[in-house]
Amino acid sequence: MDSAPKAALAKTHVLWFDAAGLADIPRIGGKNASLGELTRSLQAAGVRIAEGFATTADAYRRFLAVNGLESLIAGRINDYRLRKTSLREAGSRIRNAILGAEFPPETAAAISAGYAELCRRGGGQDVAVAVRSSATAEDLPDASFAGQQETYLNVSGSAAVLDACKRCFASLYTDRAISYREIKGFEHLDVALSVGVQRMVRSDLGASGVMFSIDTESGFPRCAVISAAWGLGETVVQGTINPDKYQVFKPLLADPDLVPIIQREVGTKECKLIYGQDGDTGTQMVDTSEAERKALVLSDAEVLLLARWAVAVEEHYGRPMDMEWAKDGITGELFMVQARPETVQAQRPLTSFRMCKLEESGTVLARGAAVGDAITTGKVSRILDARDLEDFIDGSILVTRVTDPDWVPIMKRAAGIVTDHGGPTSHAAIVSRELGVPAVVGTGNATLTLEQGAPVTLSCAEGEQGRVYEGTLKFDVEEVDTGTLPAIRTQLMINMASPAAAMRWWRLPAAGVGLARMEFIINNLIRVHPMALVHPERVTDGAEAETITSLWANHADPEEYFVDVLATGIAKIAAPFHPKPVIVRLSDFKSNEYGHLIGGTFFERPEENPMLGFRGASRYYSDEYREAFALECRALKRVREKAGFRNVIVMVPFCRTVQEARTVLDAMASNGLVRGQDGLQVYMMCEIPSNVVLAARFATYFDGFSIGSNDLTQLVLGVDRDSEQLSGLFDERDPAVTAMISQAIREAHKAGIKIGLCGQGPSNHPDFAEFLVGEGIDSISLNPDTFLRTLPLIADAEFRWL
């Protein structure tokens, strides 16, 4: 036979990735067609793809026909549907029949020839390859078929490759794959299987992970999310470890001088999957070293490269994408090894906003990564082994160590899912999103702390961290189409403290962030008094000193730890609202609050009245805090100049005198934050009577005011806002307070600067909202969970006044 017929015959059985594309999905399945599309279309854009080939659907169907397997498969499936046999028995018989069959000689020859060519291109004999399943009904926009068929890694030798291909064929009829197709309504014999044979990237010596071009929890489309772990990528995909997590703001990636990384989170990475030892093929799981567990897997440069690849892939496909990547531990090169459509958030309408809120509090029994944004309740059904899946109780909360595709049938029947292991890109997370079942993954110990049959409340509505509460708590669900909300003149903004919660509010039609509280980041993420990081030698308590050292261990020094965590946290708050203004208030802890931070007692003196004491602007230029203030300025400068979020505005709180305003601006300038330079605006909290009385003079130093209604009310009326005995007197609608607010608004507008108000008064009191609108306030900033109910109040007030 001459070479032309041989080539034509081979093409009916195998297709090389560089000759394939999306049009070949019916021939080689979604996964392999996507690899072909990447290879053919994106390598020129710098995206590296490991070479390989795929067996065709024709080869699979010929395999079934030659061995007379179609009727056997149809019969066993029919018996299962008629309940004449169990799913386990039907699947087992089909798989055994496939494994006992033989490849047609021409198919075996084509696969062996393809593998030999891969070895030739790889410059060696018996090159290690990954053998992956790719069904023709897979990686579709509305059905991911995540992990339904098998993958075999580190396969060497022609005989081993043929055996792995046959095992992939058989995996089309695992219990989980049969069940999933039944759920999705696919006829089993209509689905064919292609097998991808791809040169292994030596990620066993390097790293690997998963990447999405969209935030998987909130659906925020301008963010890339990357998970990373040491070794082969199955640990991340299957959720057997808690990986590192990175987030990158995509719109700023076009500028090569910027580093728009808005999250770096070190995962525990307890183990890694590597090649089998002593010449054995296959893989083995080993423990990671302490150094590996503590270190970030990827450098900033690698994170940015992967994120740029995510943008290129998304732009090529024209939709959000779910990708897998690997880093070769020998060459240090990164490779893209998979790309498929993201199947959950991309289907959700951009104007659809659902808000779940707990109405009661309770004891937290477990914490982990939140999957989804819902709240659910149920009794714990703890399943530790796949052999016990039949014991699951429908409508309960599934609690287990880790899920794999075998668990899909009961995951669909669960009210919620909780796992010990896994991250936001694990199997449990991906399938939970697709099924619409809320989950808390990577808790570490849920199978130990959650008792069988105990009622619990699972909440994914409190930011990135999901919580499992003891008992059945009341909660509220509100569904809104933001496209139906009325347009208003007054800028309605939101208050924000937690970077982890910022993403979930991006669908709100907010005009930006009117108040971003730096204190939350310091208290909850940094946890250490800033002066204890400037002068750790002054912390003489051994336990506190040890904790401080452990916290900054992944940074160059203690000061860099503070700057990096604060800058990253602010950037994450700024990203969902870019390029709208995000007003970041400089630290406004009181001395007693600073004292509660780690190392705080060594730098704070007791005060009789901290509310009126050493707080706000007075700290920034004092010898007792000046060095810490320099760190705050460094962080803000990094957010604006290195990360690129020039929409960040700096706000000075509790500025008592005009002279103090001048002094603080000088202190900021000496630390690189010069008002007016590179568009930097500086606002002042208008919360002290002196700010109102001398508003015209203060206005010469600031670009805007923000009325802090809580402190202003307290100081105008002489009422401690935290006093139970005086609570009836605390009212921002008191004529004395409204007179001050009116004056502040008039003076600001006279000076030509903007003025807003941050506080819950407009949400709680419609008449107060109407008063502010009538006075011509420029903006109102309130807590995001009250935004939707306040906006119509503002619209009504504007209708009457404007």
Side-chain angles (χ1 to χ4, degrees):
M1 187 179 292
D2 62 34
S3 60
K6 282 183 180 178
L9 181 64
K11 195 170 182 180
T12 66
H13 297 280
V14 302
L15 186 64
W16 284 84
F17 292 153
D18 56 13
L22 291 182
D24 296 298
I25 288 177
R27 294 189 65 202
I28 58 175
K31 189 178 296 181
N32 287 333
S34 185
L35 281 169
E37 187 74 18
L38 291 172
T39 302
R40 195 166 63 181
S41 303
L42 287 170
Q43 288 202 118
V47 181
R48 296 192 196 97
I49 315 294
E51 58 191 348
F53 64 90
T55 67
T56 64
D58 288 342
Y60 168 78
R61 291 195 170 98
R62 179 166 174 74
F63 174 83
L64 294 187
V66 167
N67 290 283
L69 294 172
E70 294 106 321
S71 59
L72 181 144
I73 292 170
R76 296 305 178 204
I77 292 295
N78 191 56
D79 287 346
Y80 163 61
R81 287 173 173 170
L82 295 174
R83 300 189 178 181
K84 293 181 179 180
T85 188
S86 67
L87 174 63
R88 183 174 296 177
E89 176 67 18
S92 176
R93 291 197 175 190
I94 295 171
R95 293 193 301 274
N96 287 337
I98 292 173
L99 292 172
E102 295 294 333
F103 278 110
E106 61 272 24
T107 303
I111 294 172
S112 295
Y115 176 68
E117 175 62 15
L118 262 185
C119 291
R120 186 190 68 78
R121 295 183 186 185
Q125 285 188 325
D126 294 343
V127 167
V129 293
V131 182
R132 293 186 170 93
S133 305
S134 176
T136 54
E138 183 177 64
D139 296 342
L140 303 176
D142 58 350
S144 70
F145 285 76
Q148 295 304 308
Q149 286 80 49
E150 297 292 352
T151 290
Y152 299 96
L153 304 176
N154 190 29
V155 179
S156 298
S158 181
V161 169
L162 285 167
D163 179 64
C165 288
K166 190 188 296 184
R167 284 186 282 160
C168 284
F169 282 2
S171 74
L172 191 59
Y173 288 94
T174 58
D175 297 353
R176 67 201 184 216
I178 295 171
S179 177
Y180 192 90
R181 287 194 295 274
E182 289 284 297
I183 292 170
K184 290 292 184 178
F186 286 86
E187 280 300 322
H188 299 275
L189 284 172
D190 289 346
V191 180
L193 194 114
S194 166
V195 180
V197 180
Q198 189 175 23
R199 183 170 63 83
M200 282 288 292
V201 177
R202 290 304 304 270
S203 57
D204 63 306
L205 301 175
S208 50
V210 175
M211 174 166 61
F212 288 85
S213 66
I214 188 173
D215 182 56
T216 51
E217 301 313 318
S218 69
F220 180 54
R222 296 189 292 158
C223 177
V225 180
I226 303 169
S227 294
W230 304 114
L232 301 169
E234 303 310 296
T235 57
V236 179
V237 175
Q238 294 175 3
T240 51
I241 57 99
N242 297 326
D244 291 352
K245 180 181 177 182
Y246 309 83
Q247 286 187 305
V248 183
F249 186 61
K250 295 186 298 183
L252 296 177
L253 280 169
D255 188 333
D257 294 327
L258 298 180
V259 183
I261 298 174
I262 60 175
Q263 182 177 12
R264 300 179 194 84
E265 182 179 302
V266 180
T268 51
K269 307 183 294 289
E270 304 92 339
C271 53
K272 62 180 177 179
L273 192 67
I274 62 171
Y275 281 6
Q277 301 298 298
D278 302 322
D280 293 338
T281 58
T283 59
Q284 68 179 93
M285 194 75 74
V286 298
D287 292 337
T288 49
S289 66
E290 185 176 355
E292 286 175 319
R293 294 177 190 183
K294 291 181 177 180
L296 284 166
V297 169
L298 296 172
S299 68
D300 282 359
E302 290 168 335
V303 170
L304 294 176
L305 177 60
L306 287 173
R308 289 189 173 99
W309 285 2
V311 171
V313 172
E314 181 180 64
E315 288 179 349
H316 179 74
Y317 282 81
R319 59 171 298 119
M321 297 295 290
D322 166 2
M323 296 150 279
E324 295 176 28
W325 59 271
K327 178 182 177 181
D328 193 301
I330 296 175
T331 66
E333 293 177 301
L334 290 167
F335 290 87
M336 187 85 76
V337 295
Q338 280 297 315
R340 60 182 74 86
E342 192 276 336
T343 59
V344 179
Q345 293 292 351
Q347 306 297 315
R348 187 174 171 184
L350 292 180
T351 59
S352 174
F353 189 84
R354 181 180 63 181
M355 187 167 61
C356 299
K357 184 179 180 181
L358 281 172
E359 296 184 330
E360 295 181 297
S361 60
T363 302
V364 178
L365 302 176
R367 291 180 171 87
V371 178
D373 56 9
I375 301 173
T376 189
T377 61
K379 292 183 178 180
V380 170
S381 184
R382 191 169 54 202
I383 308 289
L384 302 182
D385 194 294
R387 290 172 294 186
D388 301 322
L389 292 179
E390 294 177 0
D391 296 335
F392 179 74
I393 302 169
D394 287 4
S396 60
I397 306 293
L398 172 63
V399 178
T400 186
R401 295 189 184 97
V402 64
T403 69
D404 62 33
D406 287 323
W407 295 66
V408 171
I410 69 167
M411 292 171 75
K412 179 179 174 61
R413 290 150 38 205
I417 298 166
V418 184
T419 68
D420 284 347
H421 306 295
T425 55
S426 65
H427 172 269
I430 292 171
V431 174
S432 294
R433 286 187 203 99
E434 188 168 320
L435 296 177
V437 178
V440 178
V441 300
T443 62
N445 61 354
T447 55
L448 298 176
T449 59
L450 302 182
E451 296 182 9
Q452 179 72 17
V456 296
T457 299
L458 186 157
S459 173
C460 296
E462 301 167 79
E464 289 181 343
Q465 186 180 80
R467 296 177 176 87
V468 182
Y469 292 92
E470 183 178 22
T472 302
L473 305 181
K474 292 180 182 179
F475 63 93
D476 180 61
V477 180
E478 184 178 3
E479 294 271 359
V480 175
D481 181 352
T482 58
T484 65
L485 294 173
I488 57 175
R489 180 201 65 81
T490 308
Q491 290 191 316
L492 198 58
M493 308 174 83
I494 61 174
N495 301 327
M496 187 62 58
S498 169
M503 291 288 178
R504 67 185 294 239
W505 304 108
W506 73 271
R507 281 186 170 88
L508 289 179
V513 176
L515 174 62
R517 299 182 180 94
M518 188 183 288
E519 301 85 51
F520 182 95
I521 301 172
I522 297 172
N523 187 61
N524 293 275
L525 303 181
I526 297 172
R527 298 171 51 202
V528 183
H529 193 292
M531 287 299 293
L533 294 168
V534 177
H535 291 289
E537 73 283 356
R538 296 187 194 173
V539 180
T540 57
D541 180 278
E544 287 194 305
E546 186 176 337
T547 300
I548 292 171
T549 299
S550 67
L551 285 171
W552 67 264
N554 283 325
H555 293 79
D557 55 57
E559 294 185 10
E560 174 58 23
Y561 165 69
F562 181 93
V563 173
D564 177 57
V565 176
L566 181 56
T568 305
I570 294 171
K572 191 166 184 180
I573 291 174
F577 307 96
H578 184 275
K580 298 173 183 175
V582 172
I583 303 170
V584 179
R585 186 175 68 189
L586 294 164
S587 64
D588 193 26
F589 279 130
K590 302 163 194 67
S591 56
N592 58 325
E593 294 168 332
Y594 268 118
H596 290 148
L597 295 171
I598 298 171
T601 56
F602 296 94
F603 299 93
E604 298 296 329
R605 288 179 283 183
E607 290 187 291
E608 288 295 326
N609 189 352
M611 183 69 75
L612 296 179
F614 189 40
R615 60 174 289 201
S618 60
R619 279 186 172 262
Y620 309 148
Y621 54 88
S622 73
D623 291 338
E624 295 178 48
Y625 194 80
R626 188 193 311 272
E627 292 166 292
F629 181 64
L631 301 185
E632 293 184 29
C633 293
R634 276 174 55 188
L636 285 161
K637 186 176 173 67
R638 182 173 298 183
V639 170
R640 287 177 49 82
E641 297 180 9
K642 185 176 179 181
F645 292 99
R646 296 188 183 271
N647 58 321
V648 166
I649 295 170
V650 180
M651 184 155 67
V652 179
F654 225 77
C655 186
R656 294 171 168 94
T657 69
V658 174
Q659 175 57 47
E660 192 165 62
R662 287 194 292 265
T663 305
V664 168
L665 288 174
D666 288 344
M668 289 174 59
S670 67
N671 287 294
L673 289 178
V674 181
R675 179 189 171 207
Q677 186 172 298
D678 297 322
L680 174 63
Q681 295 184 59
V682 183
Y683 281 22
M684 183 191 77
M685 289 291 294
C686 185
E687 56 191 340
I688 304 171
S690 63
N691 299 150
V692 179
V693 173
L694 299 179
R697 295 180 61 187
F698 278 107
T700 62
Y701 294 97
F702 296 102
D703 301 288
F705 292 159
S706 179
I707 299 169
S709 58
N710 284 340
D711 273 352
L712 185 61
T713 302
Q714 177 175 242
L715 295 173
V716 169
L717 299 179
V719 173
D720 182 351
R721 70 188 194 195
D722 296 323
S723 171
E724 292 182 10
Q725 294 95 326
L726 302 177
S727 59
L729 294 175
F730 186 91
D731 189 346
E732 56 265 81
R733 296 171 297 169
D734 185 277
V737 181
T738 56
M740 296 292 273
I741 292 174
S742 296
Q743 183 178 342
I745 295 172
R746 286 196 307 272
E747 293 296 334
H749 287 163
K750 194 182 298 183
I753 66 173
K754 292 182 178 180
I755 184 165
L757 180 141
C758 51
Q760 287 309 106
S763 296
N764 298 333
H765 309 295
D767 57 332
F768 187 58
E770 185 161 349
F771 157 73
L772 293 171
V773 170
E775 293 297 316
I777 194 93
D778 294 308
S779 64
I780 297 172
S781 186
L782 34 80
N783 293 344
D785 58 355
T786 63
F787 186 97
L788 294 174
R789 73 166 183 259
T790 306
L791 191 147
L793 300 178
I794 302 299
D796 289 344
E798 289 185 351
F799 179 77
R800 286 189 291 273
W801 279 97
L802 303 180

